[in-house]
Amino acid sequence: MPSSTPVVAAAAAPEGRISAYWLWAALVALLAAGGSWALLRRRSAAPPQATFEPPVVPAKPPAEAPANSPSPRSTPADPALALDLTAARMSASLVNATLSYRLVLTAAAQARDVVIAGGMTAAHASRPQQDQLDPRNAPELHRLESMDAGEIIEVSGDIRLPLAEITPIRHGSAALFVPIVRLEVTAVVDGRPFTIRAAFVVGLEDGAVGQRLQPFRLDLGPRIYPKVSQRALTIPAFA
């Protein structure tokens, strides 16, 4: 019997497109040679040259569904709650990497018992996709008693990730850190449980429109990065 809990994954994609390729695409966008390394060249006298080649993912023909198979779960075009993240600042100490953030939660319907949970991890091609994107069991960040239809609420805070839990991407002497923020919002909408999940990759930006994000360097020691931004990732709805 199908679950009564509606689950919406932010910008969910067809199953055939959900694979390890998403991570390589994120790393290529962050680490590609040329413009994406301009900022690193200004901050280091002899930075390493990043050259990632994404693996070739062969196209698979769509499998024919059995005649009695259930219809795929549809994704509402206008979910009851929508979540957006703005990365404000990243800092690195001798102990933690800390992201300061702002979250905007928009309600299209009346909701109560709204809980925002989330955490941060380090992207790495050696780790399973679900391990990096699934926000379930993440610590609670914010709690709202209720939201009215059409209400927009902004909250802010910090997410810390111990440096000991980061597996850096090595390129020469550089230890690169690509943060991924995973978020989950649960609530009760129209008397039924509701869940929406989202993930964002965070990186440095030069300020130019359309500029690729760049990774953080952990080998440069403690510092504060005020010019950061984020990109939403396409994630599956983990069942």
Side-chain angles (χ1 to χ4, degrees):
M1 178 179 297
S3 171
S4 61
T5 303
V7 177
V8 180
E15 181 180 355
R17 296 175 54 192
I18 299 169
S19 68
Y21 182 80
W22 72 267
L23 178 56
W24 284 102
L27 296 181
V28 169
L30 287 164
L31 305 176
S36 63
W37 276 93
L39 185 57
L40 295 184
R41 286 199 295 269
R42 290 199 295 269
R43 291 182 177 175
S44 176
Q49 186 71 16
T51 54
F52 273 110
E53 290 295 335
V56 176
V57 181
K60 294 183 178 180
E64 293 186 5
N68 59 349
S69 64
S71 300
R73 180 176 53 197
S74 60
T75 300
D78 187 15
L81 294 171
L83 181 69
D84 194 25
L85 168 80
T86 298
R89 185 182 69 175
M90 177 70 76
S91 62
S93 68
L94 294 175
V95 180
N96 297 312
T98 303
L99 174 68
S100 299
Y101 65 85
R102 295 190 302 275
L103 292 174
V104 175
L105 189 62
T106 304
Q110 189 173 29
R112 59 180 177 84
D113 298 333
V114 181
V115 176
I116 304 175
M120 181 167 61
T121 189
H124 201 280
S126 65
R127 298 176 56 199
Q129 174 191 356
Q130 183 163 341
D131 181 41
Q132 299 183 69
L133 292 181
D134 193 350
R136 290 180 296 185
N137 302 318
E140 180 179 316
L141 300 176
H142 305 279
R143 179 180 289 269
L144 306 171
E145 184 176 342
S146 64
M147 291 186 68
D148 294 328
E151 186 174 6
I152 299 175
I153 292 180
E154 180 176 313
V155 294
S156 60
D158 296 326
I159 300 177
R160 292 177 174 83
L161 178 64
L163 295 186
E165 297 182 11
I166 298 176
T167 301
I169 302 168
R170 296 285 180 178
H171 277 279
S173 61
L176 307 179
F177 169 41
V178 180
I180 292 180
V181 177
R182 301 88 57 86
L183 299 168
E184 179 181 73
V185 179
T186 58
V188 177
V189 179
D190 294 330
R192 302 178 62 187
F194 176 89
T195 301
I196 187 170
R197 300 185 179 107
F200 301 84
V201 62
V202 178
L204 289 162
E205 67 171 8
D206 241 344
V209 177
Q211 186 78 11
R212 290 191 179 100
L213 296 181
Q214 303 166 50
F216 301 94
R217 290 187 61 174
L218 298 179
D219 57 290
L220 299 180
R223 59 191 54 220
I224 295 175
Y225 303 94
K227 293 183 179 181
V228 297
S229 189
Q230 70 291 318
R231 302 286 186 271
L233 294 174
T234 298
I235 64 172
F238 294 111

